[in-house]
Amino acid sequence: VLNLIGLGIALHVGWKLVHKSVWLILWCACLVVAYSPTWTLLDYRNEVSLGWADLARPGWAVLAVAGAVTAVAEAPSELPGNRRFYLRLAGWGVGALLSTLYSQEHGLCAFGAATLAVLAHRWWAVRATFVRRLLEVFRTAGAYIGGFAGGLLVWLLAYAAKGCAGLFLHTIWEMTRLEASGAWGFTPFPLRVASFDNAALLTDVPGVGGGYAWEFGAGPAVFLLTGAALLGRAARGKWDARATLMLGLLLYGATSFRVAMHRADVYHLLSGTLAPALLLAALVADLARALLRVRAVAVPLGAAAAAVVLWASPRLSFFDRFVGRWSAIARFDEVASSGEPHLHPDLPRAGDVV
């Protein structure tokens, strides 16, 4: 259920990024399933543990970013903003808190990313003097951060009523500190300067679970391309709500990719690939609209380049499971289970204390 929720969130946000293209959102869905934590489920029979298969961890974070950006994009341009806008933004601050409580390594990154993206959009969206715009930025920040802090206070009061507030804060601090420092199970990242001097090093399979070394750099490459695209859009004065959403996802993805750098294995990598997958879909959607004008003829060079990306993406090693699973379904080797469920009332569960 959590994976279906995460997939629904990804497609909801992706729909806003692909210019409402049906073909691109279908490709985006395939990309998210094959290049995210749901990858584990595609070969569930051979996986020891499915604990990594939780697309909701990055999904809630992406929703928190998209919700806050949507709220500020639909805000009135007059100053100060109306009460409904500030309350809505505070509500999304609470949403960022819930994402943090569910997965602090993703939620905190989403909170910081959304804060910066929302304030930047609000600064450029309003038309007023420098001082009035600065005051509006403070009001906007107060609403969003206040929603996060207010929700956290209510949460702490509930823990304090049980005498556990100190334990809760200590646990959150220690987990966040270990995640952020990289000291918890850190192993060298497979891509180094030497990797680009020897092509054989790019096809190494580091850690466990699969994935070539060069594929570990796919996410950062998307971040660099997205940053360049946003800088170009800002220079042309064509900034809009979609660009702010891409900025929020870029900031969230770049900061949360630290999780993927903790250990050089596919499981940690795929926990931080939802944002780059959505950003790649947005870049391909923009690329598909690009035209090269030769005299009076418009050549759809961008569409051809986008088609190459769509053709090449299933060649990623992560798509092997996706293609294999669909092939098995098409051959009817993989069918829905039938008959009575197997019951083992005397067999303890893995999490039980025996």
Side-chain angles (χ1 to χ4, degrees), residues 262-284:
H262 282 174
R263 294 188 63 85
D265 60 51
V266 65
Y267 303 103
H268 285 81
L269 172 66
L270 294 179
S271 67
T273 51
L274 179 57
L278 293 173
L279 289 173
L280 179 60
L283 293 175
V284 171

Side-chain angles (χ1 to χ4, degrees), residues 35 188-192 194-196 198-207 210-220 257 264-266 269 316-318:
Y35 196 54
F189 199 64
L191 280 182
R192 310 175 188 84
S195 301
F196 298 93
N198 186 351
L201 296 177
L202 294 176
T203 56
D204 280 346
V205 181
Y212 296 123
W214 71 266
E215 291 175 324
F216 282 71
F257 197 78
D265 60 51
V266 65
L269 172 66
L316 288 168
S317 65
F318 297 107

Side-chain angles (χ1 to χ4, degrees), residues 174-199:
E174 289 298 321
M175 293 292 289
T176 304
R177 183 172 64 89
L178 289 172
E179 290 281 357
S181 66
W184 194 0
F186 178 77
T187 56
F189 199 64
L191 280 182
R192 310 175 188 84
V193 175
S195 301
F196 298 93
D197 296 331
N198 186 351

Side-chain angles (χ1 to χ4, degrees), residues 3-91:
N3 284 286
L4 289 176
I5 293 174
L7 180 60
I9 292 172
L11 295 182
H12 169 71
V13 177
W15 184 249
K16 298 180 179 182
L17 295 172
V18 299
H19 303 300
K20 298 183 179 180
S21 169
V22 175
W23 292 108
L24 285 179
I25 197 63
L26 290 176
W27 169 71
C28 180
C30 296
L31 186 64
V32 168
V33 171
Y35 196 54
S36 77
T38 55
W39 176 85
T40 311
L41 290 175
L42 296 176
D43 194 21
Y44 61 91
R45 292 178 177 177
N46 296 319
E47 289 289 340
V48 175
S49 174
L50 297 178
W52 287 97
D54 189 357
L55 185 56
R57 293 172 66 214
W60 292 128
V62 166
L63 181 62
V65 173
V69 168
T70 302
V72 75
E74 297 175 353
S77 57
E78 66 271 7
L79 296 177
N82 57 37
R83 182 180 179 184
R84 181 175 178 273
F85 160 62
Y86 295 126
L87 289 176
R88 184 181 179 187
L89 200 56

